[in-house]
Amino acid sequence: MDKARWLGISCPLCGQELNSWDVRCSKSVGYLDYQICENCLCKEYDMEKEEFRDRMEAYFEIRPCRGL
């Protein structure tokens, strides 16, 4: 499993710098034109971070990168 990479792109909702995990999650749930951070995705879907990661693994078979 690869380590997360910082991409130098800001989340359009909160301004936090995005990493490769944020982009993978955003694309998986349908954000194709722009990506948002994991925190904003958790707020949107009203989930805690661990619950959100469990859903990503269960439904999309993707796991967080090492170091997150």
Side-chain angles (χ1 to χ4, degrees):
M1 192 178 306
D2 295 331
K3 291 183 97 175
R5 293 182 328 272
W6 295 102
L7 304 175
I9 303 168
S10 297
C11 173
L13 301 178
C14 70
Q16 180 179 335
E17 184 178 3
L18 298 178
N19 60 41
S20 54
W21 170 249
D22 297 325
V23 172
R24 289 174 66 200
C25 290
S26 292
K27 288 182 178 180
S28 295
V29 297
Y31 286 88
L32 303 177
D33 295 332
Y34 62 93
Q35 287 79 42
I36 62 175
C37 69
E38 181 180 32
N39 292 332
C40 291
L41 284 168
C42 289
K43 286 179 190 175
E44 182 169 329
Y45 291 100
D46 194 29
M47 294 181 180
E48 295 295 322
K49 196 176 276 192
E50 288 304 315
E51 182 183 6
F52 180 77
R53 290 178 178 184
D54 288 343
R55 289 272 176 99
M56 289 289 104
E57 186 169 1
Y59 291 106
F60 299 109
E61 298 180 355
I62 60 173
R63 298 178 197 178
C65 305
R66 286 182 285 173
L68 292 180

